[in-house]
Structure formats: structure tokens, C-alpha cells
Amino acid sequence: MKGQIQVIGCKSCTEIPQLIDMNKLIEKASTMDLVVSTVLVGAVCDSKSIKQVVQEAKEREVDRVVVLACPKKVVNPALLAAFKKAKVNEFLVEYVNIRDEVVLPHMNDPPRAQAKAETMMVAALQKVMGLKPLETLKEQMRTRNVVVLGGGASGRKAAETAAKTGAHTIIIEKGTKSFKAPGVLMQNSVLLKSKGYGGNFVLTIRAGEKVEELECAAIVVATGGGWTTLNGPLAKACKSALPLYELDEQIRAGKKMEGPIVIVDSPDPAGKSMQVRDYAWDESLELAIELKRRSTDSDITIVFQEMRAFGLSELRYKEAAELGVRFIRYDPTGIPKIDPKEPNVISVKDLAQGETIRLRFGTLAFASIPANDDNEGIADTLRIPMSPDGGIRHGSIQRGPVSTPRPGIFVCGSALFPKTKDIAEEEGMVAGELAGEFASKGIIEYGGSVAEVTQEKCSACLTCIRTCPYEAPFIGIANKAEIRTQACQGCGMCVGICPSKAIELRNCTDDLIMQETKTMLRGDF
Ligand code: SF4
Ligand code: SF4
């Protein structure tokens, strides 16, 4: 392999060109050893730009690439696919995250940001020369089953759309209510264990009294929200408090609610993230407007910490304010409190005035819903991460809002975070379609930057086997550790913990890391 490098600079997002002189950076790249092509594009994810850079790579016989843009997981996978077609090994493409690692931390110091960007580019050019071309291997999937965990609104939609792709769907539902669904519906059933990897999972399911094993190619987690439980400190202090959806149901059923009405943006404000509040905002505004329309003299206060009403929801805020809904933004250090001795009074420290306000209420509603209690067990069994809200964490909001970091596992609806039924159903449709498409590929591609054991160094201590969250290492016939490459996610945990230093991640070796670290430390920024 010759070592002919192409450097691609992207000036798409608003922050990068504001702070970094990308022309200067690309000019500098063109003076570096082995760089045979430099291209500055408007947006590296754009199909025209992809065509342009790949064409140039072919003409200049490029075999390694450095991309100066945003995080790897955000860059369009079509770029990698195009390079693959142009015979550039996908593991010889190195990404420099200019946006998150240079621009955002140094917003107020452009010279420093420029110097750091240059140093990171130099480190990436050195690193890309140390990378080895890696292979991906293929394995046949044993089934086209798609398992959907949860038979609520999003789960049913997921099963419907997955079935349309030709997949055989199985809904695992812990309740006993029967409903129409494609494929098989297993009621009174829960997931106990999982083995395998995307394309060839083996799940252990308890169905009633029986325990059975089920093979599937893909999984959709659609466990729903914890609709019936309010367990924050405020809810505990005021037993008559309602989740917002219940207030909504009661109003729509014609019940007259006792005033004044106070809506708080979360049942446990201290522990909730933005995502929960986004949902809370939309719902709170909609309901407050509805209440005001029904009775103009109703006394409604919305108590909130962060205003996150997007798009048309901003108009709802304006409308609610014009209708006379009162808004109180509380100081995060003085979150709403209810004294159990006075369960109909909520005190809140107003951020603007710095004073504590006491609000007497007839009805108290909490505008968000705790995550489903089942999520933790499911995340643990499937070895997928959770968000601080108690939901399942998705892969990348831009490129995979219903994917998880594990290939073949998708997530939708309130399993991610509380949301309205409409949005949950839409997410279910997307997750179902992706799971169906994943299962229809019929083959699993694996390999690349995965763990590798140097058997001579292995003392068969089993530490890696106990540590790996994906059950990838095992003791092979030579009584030494081996890696089940299909299962390895390249997380590196076994590398760090092996007492004999017998494991390395391909293309992420100690030498490469040390070289990169030294270059960064020498940088003048
Ligand atoms: S942790 Fe290291 S020494 Fe122990 S079994 Fe795994 S590879 Fe071998
Ligand atoms: S890098 Fe090691 S710990 Fe991580 S998935 Fe692969 S084998 Fe398991």
C-alpha cells in the first residue's frame, strides 16, 4: 500500500467556518508529506460533495483519507460506502471531530482553536499512516424473526411495519390483553435472557409458566412509559396529584377540575433532562389552552424550569399567555416543594424575582411521566445503555434516533422517553421498518476494529470473559482466550483490564494512542 492521503475539510455547520479558517487548514494539509489531494467542501454529507471527493480520490490513487468535520457517527455513512466502492479500505478513513473537540470548547479563542485544529490534523495524518486495512467477514442469519418487546402503541406499529418488509414478527407482551397484530403475539410473557448478536440473537422468554428459547435477527424495544406511577418527591407529598395525561383524560371526559390548576413541568424536577421537558412543554401548553378555552376565568399556572417549546409549540406559548395562563420559571436551586402538612400549597422560588412564591391549588398535575420500570432490566439483559431519564439511550440523534449502539437492536416510543401517542406510533413505524430491513439482509457483516488476543501472552485468567458486556471472549481449544468477532463491539474494556496485556483492539493499539498523545502534547494551543 503506497500511502497516498486525501484530506477533506467540511465547512457545512455554522460554527466551524465562523471560528476556523478552513482554507488555511486545508492549505497546511497540502504541504504535509504523503498528502496527494486536499478538498474543501460545503458539506461532506451532501451527495454532490461525496461524488466530488471520491472522484478526486480515484484520480489521485488515494488509499487513506482524513476527514475534518464533525463526529464520525454524524457523518453520512454514504461517504464511507462511496469510498468502499472506490476501493479505499473503510478502516483507513480517519475522522477529526473539529466541531465538538475544537470549535465548541474554544468558542471565545479563535487563534487557540485554529492551532488545536492544526495539531489534531497532524496527529490524524500520522495515525492514518499507522492504520492497517481491515476486513469484514460475513455470516448467514438463521432466521428473519423480528421480536418486538412491548405491545403498546409503538410496539404494534413496529410489528406492522416490520411485517410489511417480509419479516416474521413476534410481540412479547407482559399483559394479558389480546389485540390484533401480525405474526405471533405472546401474552403474559417477559424477556429473561439474551445471547448472540445482531442477526443471530437467541432470547430466553418466560411465557406464562413455560420458559422457551427464541431465535431472532432483530429486536425492537417498545416498552412504553410508566403511565401509572408518579414517584417523585412532590407526588409523594401530594397524594391527589395527577400525571398530565390523566388530567387530559378527565377534562376530555367532561369532568370539571377544581381550581386553581397548577401544572409542574416534571414530577421530580431535579433529576430530569431536556428531553422529558420538551414533551412536558408541548403537553402543558396544549392542555392549558384547552382549559382556558372551556372556561376563560379558570386560574392556571405553569411552573417550569426550562422553556423548550419548538416550532409551532412556540405559538402555543404565545396563545396561552394571551389567554391569561400564568408562567413561573423556577430557580434550579429552589425547586418546587410541597410541605406534606400543607398538601394543597406548592412553593417555588421564582427565578426573575428571587422570591419564594406560595401557590394554593385545587388540582395539581405533573407534566411528565416517569420512564418505564421495565427499562432497566431490559437494558441490562440486552446490554444496551440507558439515559439519565431512565429511558433506553438511542445511538445518534441525527443518524439513528431509533437505533441503539448495538447493531440489530432498535428502540421506539416511551422506551426512549415519555411522548405523545402519535409520536410514539411514528417512531414505532420507523423502528419496525429498520428492524425488518436489518433482518431481510440475511447476512451479518462483522470484523473491523475488534479485539484480538495474542495467545502466547494469555494466562487464561478469565478476566476478559467476566468483563466483556457482549460475551465475546471465550476459552478456545488451546486453553487460551479467543474473541467471538461477531459479538465484539470494539468497546475496549477487555483491553484495559487484561492483566497480561494480551488483548489489543485492531487499529487502536497502544503505539498508535501514544503517538497521537505525544503529538497533541507538543501542539501549541
Ligand atoms: S484477561 Fe487476558 S490473560 Fe486473562 S483470559 Fe483474557 S486474554 Fe487471557
Ligand atoms: S472489545 Fe473486548 S470487552 Fe469490548 S466487546 Fe470486544 S471483546 Fe468485549
Side-chain angles (χ1 to χ4, degrees):
M1 194 147 288
K2 289 182 273 190
Q4 310 228 90
I5 309 172
Q6 179 181 59
V7 179
I8 307 168
C10 175
K11 48 180 186 174
S12 151
C13 75
T14 42
E15 296 100 351
I16 293 180
Q18 262 179 32
L19 202 76
I20 303 287
D21 185 340
M22 289 301 284
N23 287 310
K24 202 171 155 199
L25 199 59
I26 285 292
E27 225 175 274
K28 166 99 183 163
S30 66
T31 65
M32 307 289 292
D33 277 353
L34 304 174
V35 174
V36 296
S37 157
T38 51
V39 197
L40 185 57
V41 290
V44 77
C45 294
D46 170 74
S47 56
K48 254 193 186 162
S49 304
I50 293 176
K51 222 169 148 192
Q52 181 197 344
V53 295
V54 173
Q55 182 60 33
E56 165 124 357
K58 273 193 211 158
E59 285 166 11
R60 306 275 173 128
E61 297 183 2
V62 162
D63 55 22
R64 284 153 210 263
V65 179
V66 170
V67 182
L68 311 169
C70 43
K72 180 181 174 183
K73 65 180 182 183
V74 174
V75 176
N76 192 343
L79 177 72
L80 217 49
F83 273 123
K84 219 168 152 183
K85 267 197 193 156
K87 306 262 182 290
V88 177
N89 185 281
E90 61 184 298
F91 301 99
L92 299 183
V93 180
E94 179 65 11
Y95 296 82
V96 180
N97 185 356
I98 296 276
R99 194 191 68 193
D100 291 5
E101 291 175 23
V102 179
V103 174
L104 299 183
H106 303 293
M107 271 297 200
N108 301 321
D109 194 348
R112 195 171 178 204
Q114 188 77 27
K116 186 172 178 183
E118 274 189 27
T119 310
M120 286 179 74
M121 181 181 74
V122 171
L125 286 166
Q126 289 167 345
K127 184 176 173 190
V128 83
M129 283 312 298
L131 298 179
K132 295 201 175 95
L134 302 177
E135 273 188 346
T136 46
L137 303 168
K138 292 187 171 130
E139 180 184 306
Q140 201 73 32
M141 291 184 192
R142 292 188 293 267
T143 166
R144 273 193 80 175
N145 286 350
V146 170
V147 164
V148 179
L149 300 172
S154 59
R156 285 182 220 184
K157 282 286 172 203
E160 276 169 27
T161 46
K164 280 186 193 153
T165 68
H168 178 244
T169 56
I170 301 145
I171 298 181
I172 309 293
E173 166 57 40
K174 73 173 179 183
T176 50
K177 222 162 112 189
S178 145
F179 50 85
K180 222 171 141 233
V184 174
L185 167 64
M186 292 174 71
Q187 295 154 280
N188 193 16
S189 300
V190 288
L191 172 71
L192 296 180
K193 274 194 244 161
S194 86
K195 280 194 300 196
Y197 33 83
N200 281 330
F201 289 110
V202 182
L203 306 182
T204 307
I205 309 287
R206 183 173 55 67
E209 299 296 303
K210 283 198 306 194
V211 172
E212 53 188 271
E213 283 204 335
L214 194 59
E215 284 196 321
C216 66
I219 300 167
V220 178
V221 182
T223 35
W227 299 103
T228 52
T229 45
L230 280 175
N231 51 16
L234 295 178
K236 280 182 187 147
C238 173
K239 302 280 181 245
S240 63
L242 302 166
L244 197 67
Y245 81 96
E246 216 170 291
L247 177 64
D248 185 26
E249 276 173 12
Q250 293 191 12
I251 290 166
R252 287 184 206 289
K255 186 171 172 192
K256 190 156 173 18
M257 305 312 297
E258 203 179 319
I261 298 171
V262 173
I263 299 172
V264 185
D265 72 348
S266 160
D268 191 355
K272 296 293 154 185
S273 79
M274 293 291 188
Q275 289 173 330
V276 173
R277 291 198 203 109
D278 295 349
Y279 160 79
W281 262 105
D282 281 4
E283 291 295 288
S284 307
L285 291 172
E286 202 172 299
L287 207 59
I289 291 168
E290 179 69 24
L291 285 162
K292 273 288 188 188
R293 281 201 192 122
R294 287 178 186 211
S295 166
T296 46
D297 59 353
S298 46
D299 182 344
I300 303 166
T301 305
I302 296 181
V303 175
F304 71 100
Q305 188 190 343
E306 287 284 351
M307 167 87 66
R308 299 271 296 183
F310 292 116
L312 295 179
S313 299
E314 284 192 13
L315 297 177
R316 286 200 198 129
Y317 168 70
K318 193 166 165 262
E319 190 183 349
E322 281 168 1
L323 285 168
V325 174
R326 203 177 313 123
F327 291 89
I328 297 178
R329 184 178 186 188
Y330 62 83
D331 186 327
T333 60
I335 60 168
K337 286 193 183 78
I338 296 175
D339 182 347
K341 286 184 211 133
E342 239 185 331
N344 281 353
V345 176
I346 184 164
S347 10
V348 48
K349 190 173 172 199
D350 182 82
L351 185 68
Q353 297 173 21
E355 281 172 21
T356 299
I357 298 173
R358 281 164 49 84
L359 295 165
R360 192 164 289 281
F361 58 84
T363 302
L364 177 68
F366 295 118
S368 71
I369 304 147
N372 193 315
D373 289 341
D374 296 337
N375 281 348
E376 200 173 337
I378 286 176
D380 201 35
T381 308
L382 296 178
R383 298 171 209 104
I384 47 177
M386 292 182 72
S387 68
D389 286 332
I392 305 290
R393 206 175 75 205
H394 48 63
S396 145
I397 191 73
Q398 292 98 331
R399 297 262 165 237
V402 296
S403 68
T404 69
R406 278 196 83 184
I409 303 183
F410 303 87
V411 57
C412 58
S414 298
L416 281 163
F417 54 87
K419 52 179 63 86
T420 59
K421 189 172 169 234
D422 293 352
I423 299 175
E425 285 185 341
E426 277 165 29
E427 279 182 3
M429 284 161 69
V430 178
E433 191 165 340
L434 291 177
E437 276 172 8
F438 185 90
S440 72
K441 284 195 277 188
I443 48 157
I444 306 160
E445 279 195 62
Y446 63 94
S449 185
V450 291
E452 198 170 30
V453 180
T454 304
Q455 298 220 324
E456 301 76 59
K457 291 187 186 172
C458 173
S459 58
C461 69
L462 309 185
T463 307
C464 55
I465 295 172
R466 291 192 196 104
T467 305
C468 175
Y470 304 103
E471 295 173 355
F474 62 98
I475 295 293
I477 41 172
N479 268 339
K480 302 282 181 182
E482 290 180 30
I483 303 293
R484 202 174 283 108
T485 317
Q486 300 94 316
C488 177
Q489 304 294 308
C491 72
M493 283 172 71
C494 59
V495 179
I497 208 154
C498 170
S500 308
K501 298 264 167 273
I503 316 178
E504 270 196 333
L505 270 188
R506 290 179 191 157
N507 275 352
C508 192
T509 59
D510 287 356
D511 288 348
L512 282 172
I513 294 169
M514 285 314 293
Q515 182 192 44
E516 194 176 6
T517 310
K518 280 182 192 159
T519 306
M520 289 305 292
L521 288 173
R522 276 198 298 266
D524 185 21
F525 61 89

